[in-house]
Amino acid sequence: MTVTAVSDNRAAIRDQELVRKLAAPDDAEVASLDAWWRANNYLTIGQIYLQGNPLLRETLTSEHIKPRLLGHWGTSPGLSFVYAHVSRLIKQTGQQAIYLAGPGHGGPALVAAGYLEGTYSEVYPKVGLDEGGLLRLFRQFSSPGGIPSHVSVTTPGSIHEGGELGYVLVHAFGAVMDNPDLLAIAVVGDGEAETGPLEGSWKGISFINPKHDGAVLPILHLNGAKIAGPTVLARKDPAEVRKLLEGHGYDVIEIEGEDLPGMHHRFAAVLAEAWGKIKTIQSEARGGTWDGSRPRWPLIVMRTPKGWTGPDKIDGITVTGTWRSHQVPLSGVKGNDEHLAELEKWLRSYRPEELFDASGAPVQIIRDLAPPGDLRMSATPHANGGLLTSDLDLPDFRDYAVDVKRPAEGRAESTRKLGEMMRDIYSRNPDSFRLFCPDETNSNRLGAVFEVSDRAFMEGVTGDDVKLSNSGRVMEVLSEHNCHGWLEGYNLTGRHGMFATYEAFAMVSASQTVQHGKWLQEASHLPWRAKVPSLNILLTSTAWRNDHNGFSHQGPGLIQVVLNQRGNVARVYLPPDANTLLSVADHCFRSRSYVNLIVIDKQPQLQWLDMDQAIEHCRNGAGIWEWAGTDDGDRDPDIVLACAGDVVTMETVAAAQILMKKLPQLKVRVVNVVDLMTLPRPKDHPHGMGETMFRELFTDHVDVVFSFHGYPGAIHQLVHGRPDADRFRVRGFIEQGTTTTPFDMTVRNKASRYHLVIDAINNARRLPAGATEVKAWCEAQLERHEKYVVEHLEDMPEVRDWSLEDWAES
């Protein structure tokens, strides 16, 4: 037997011994678990109700009650019950664990957990472990100047707010990818289990490799109700629930009850069983005895009453075990003496005099349950991933440059060059970089990554499959929610990646983008939160080039979504070609705590800038393309043609060339914008260009015809407050689409080169001779186009094959 095998065997024996010990807590351990849980329940209720008398040193009065009672009680006791038992497991085994609360409304329970572990006072010294700190803890909850009611970014140990339900499992699975020593405890609320994203996320085990990934332990907490009624899974026959979860591939372990101390004993045994199965799966995978098939990972179904340990009835109406305990069971306390007395009875049922000493600090039996140091779930660095983050080992993006001798001389699939760059990032960073893409990696021309990694897949593989294996690390699943959420979990625990999808379908997960942005915004105000790798989103197969898919695939809405986020987080890039894309991607992969949105099409497109020009252009965020215009550096052009986006850039340059040929006396300036966030004023966004640069590009009085990839209103929003903003006339996507040719998309949305020429003539400061004839020519070209595409099923040759070289020779 080899040394490794002996070591693995000893570890397995140790794990089995630990499982037996964990499964049978003695009386002292149960007493510690129960005391901790009672203390947590007491602190939870105190946060919801109390603004004074935090330890009930005197009789409760109306003055001790908050004027506004906000928060959620119903799910909290179940969350803290699980937390207590996982803490015991960690302390006895040394297991690294992170706790994700799907029912984010259980915020007071997780805040209380961090407080009892001492982490909260370490992070927020004013909330000390004494009576004064306890009062501050209570008063701040759901109060002005305080903290939210969810398991928010302000809660130590959290990477998951749970405010918008449905994402606990995707975040948990993302957290354990390439994180072999981490156990993610993911509590799924039974209301949350009704959401589409959660229902689609059970399949995460089909992508987790026990050899190089950690483990997720889902705990489906069925407490019977949501805010105003029963939940589906709680009312289903338990046998049906078991079949549903077993069908996803889980080894289901069930526990039910409310009796004490019986539930402590039974849950300890259930948790020990689940942990033991996880360790066996990992030991076999890492010890060489694994056959490579997908393991049946354990999953716990826990059924306890909603509002467990709360008032059974209020005013003769049953509360505990029903939806009535979801939020604030005793809502009229301040003006109702009977309810006030009931609240005091409820609080005293936890025997606070046994839980806190004379100074107000938790007693020793409670403090003893906490694991040491960083093993505390409220202190784990995995929940503050910036502490674990290393910079990516990035190749030089210049090595992937497209050779551009003259603008618009050749075409290339720009995203293919990015795929080559990511291939080498994979090779250089074998455990800290992944691409997440809904079954579209090759479609989006990123397939070079398959030269160094297969697609991850733990289900069966056939001879017809290509680049598919259990060791793969390219993440493909036909779910934007899963891909987006996995990357979020991966980022928040300190690793890097990119989410790439079709532009229109980014709206499927747009709410996740918003929620993540809000998390980063709030984290920026917390000095103890380390900056995490940015959420990088690549949108391709864009609105302008979904030729065969049609109107359903044509929508640039995510740009507008990201623009509406705060400037300290939101970034939107519209590189017009491969070299600018490479420069932008390098910047995004190096950045921290942003939402970086990159939009560029995958189809062959004209290439404009050589690498040095691209780097300078991206550094400035926008610039004048002097070679495309006719103003010759004149500070006073007759019209400015501006553009942001690849297809509209081509149309803008083509429009400028038409004007150059047909109206050479007209002084035309062409401005391209690659960083959309340079358009706002500096006070509105940190990337906003200064007033001098803005005037140099756009002047302060000349009309600007702006051709934009997205909805026209976005540009008007961005240039608000700039000199004479009304002079900006924007062409963009106006929800006109169908299955048609590329150029016809620009015509339908009135953003074609001919529309831009007409706009330029209509808005120029002066009109040279022949302008009327040029307008008529443009209108004739549009009529000719309309007939041509119907007859020939493709664009006119002079449009389809247009390049600057053609115009130069004509």
Side-chain angles (χ1 to χ4, degrees), residues 356-378:
F356 303 94
D357 64 21
S359 71
V363 298
Q364 192 65 42
I365 193 175
I366 293 172
R367 296 201 301 271
D368 284 346
L369 187 68
D374 287 352
L375 284 178
R376 295 170 294 174
M377 288 185 286
S378 58

Side-chain angles (χ1 to χ4, degrees), residues 326-650:
H326 181 83
Q327 291 178 291
V328 182
L330 287 158
S331 58
V333 177
K334 208 166 180 66
N336 187 318
D337 289 343
E338 291 183 4
H339 283 193
L340 183 65
E342 186 67 35
L343 173 61
E344 182 167 8
K345 178 183 175 182
W346 179 14
L347 284 164
R348 292 192 185 280
S349 72
Y350 300 108
R351 306 191 298 281
E353 67 279 2
E354 299 176 6
L355 307 176
F356 303 94
D357 64 21
S359 71
V363 298
Q364 192 65 42
I365 193 175
I366 293 172
R367 296 201 301 271
D368 284 346
L369 187 68
D374 287 352
L375 284 178
R376 295 170 294 174
M377 288 185 286
S378 58
T380 174
H382 294 285
N384 195 2
L387 298 175
L388 302 175
T389 300
S390 297
D391 291 339
L392 280 174
D393 179 6
L394 290 172
D396 189 339
F397 66 93
R398 299 169 184 81
D399 293 343
Y400 310 92
V402 172
D403 186 19
V404 178
K405 292 184 172 58
R406 286 185 296 177
E409 186 176 55
R411 295 175 184 266
E413 295 169 323
S414 298
T415 55
R416 197 173 294 280
K417 305 305 291 185
L418 176 59
E420 294 171 10
M421 179 180 173
M422 286 199 290
R423 170 198 63 203
D424 297 336
I425 296 175
Y426 258 98
S427 296
R428 290 165 172 254
N429 304 271
D431 58 1
S432 59
F433 178 84
R434 292 202 186 198
L435 171 65
F436 301 81
C437 189
D439 193 34
E440 297 155 358
T441 302
N442 277 327
S443 174
N444 288 330
R445 313 299 194 264
L446 303 173
V449 295
F450 295 128
E451 296 174 23
V452 295
S453 175
D454 292 341
R455 299 172 177 87
F457 201 61
M458 294 301 301
E459 303 294 345
V461 178
T462 73
D464 294 323
D465 294 322
V466 177
K467 291 295 179 179
L468 191 72
S469 72
N470 60 25
S471 62
R473 294 178 55 257
V474 178
M475 309 308 296
E476 282 193 349
V477 61
L478 199 52
S479 165
E480 286 78 13
H481 288 125
N482 276 331
C483 290
H484 195 299
W486 288 347
L487 177 56
E488 289 179 88
Y490 201 68
N491 286 159
L492 290 167
T493 49
R495 280 77 50 73
H496 308 255
M498 175 171 278
F499 167 49
T501 189
Y502 285 13
E503 183 178 42
F505 300 140
M507 293 303 290
V508 173
S509 53
S511 185
Q512 288 179 278
T513 308
V514 171
Q515 293 294 316
H516 190 79
K518 289 178 182 291
W519 179 279
L520 295 177
Q521 288 167 16
E522 292 307 295
S524 68
H525 303 310
L526 301 171
W528 59 271
R529 283 276 183 189
K531 289 185 176 296
V532 296
S534 294
L535 179 72
N536 299 313
I537 302 174
L538 173 69
L539 303 187
T540 184
S541 295
T542 64
W544 300 96
R545 287 302 312 267
N546 254 294
D547 312 344
H548 67 287
N549 284 314
F551 195 37
S552 65
H553 287 54
Q554 295 160 348
L558 194 67
I559 292 176
Q560 199 76 42
V561 169
V562 175
L563 287 182
N564 288 332
Q565 297 193 293
R566 291 183 200 163
N568 66 330
V569 167
R571 304 287 184 267
V572 180
Y573 299 99
L574 294 160
D577 64 2
N579 290 336
T580 50
L581 172 62
L582 291 167
S583 179
V584 163
D586 179 79
H587 170 77
C588 292
F589 287 140
R590 295 178 188 276
S591 69
R592 295 285 185 276
S593 291
Y594 296 146
V595 174
N596 291 317
L597 179 61
I598 308 171
V599 186
I600 186 170
D601 197 63
K602 65 186 182 183
Q603 302 289 353
Q605 54 189 199
L606 291 169
Q607 301 296 305
W608 306 102
L609 306 178
D610 66 29
M611 184 52 81
D612 289 340
Q613 292 169 334
I615 292 170
E616 181 65 18
H617 188 46
C618 291
R619 181 180 295 118
N620 295 327
I624 298 172
W625 284 5
E626 295 178 358
W627 47 266
T630 56
D631 65 329
D632 294 326
D634 195 314
R635 295 178 63 85
D636 254 351
D638 296 317
I639 194 74
V640 175
L641 297 183
C643 50
D646 47 13
V647 168
V648 295
T649 291
M650 179 175 67

Side-chain angles (χ1 to χ4, degrees), residues 658-659 662-663 666 753-764 767-783:
I658 292 172
L659 291 168
K662 294 186 174 293
L663 291 175
L666 192 71
R753 59 197 66 181
Y754 303 121
H755 289 94
L756 298 178
V757 169
I758 293 170
D759 273 359
I761 292 172
N762 287 341
N763 294 285
L767 284 180
T772 302
E773 289 77 10
V774 174
K775 282 179 61 178
W777 177 81
C778 288
E779 290 164 353
Q781 288 296 96
L782 289 170
E783 291 178 9

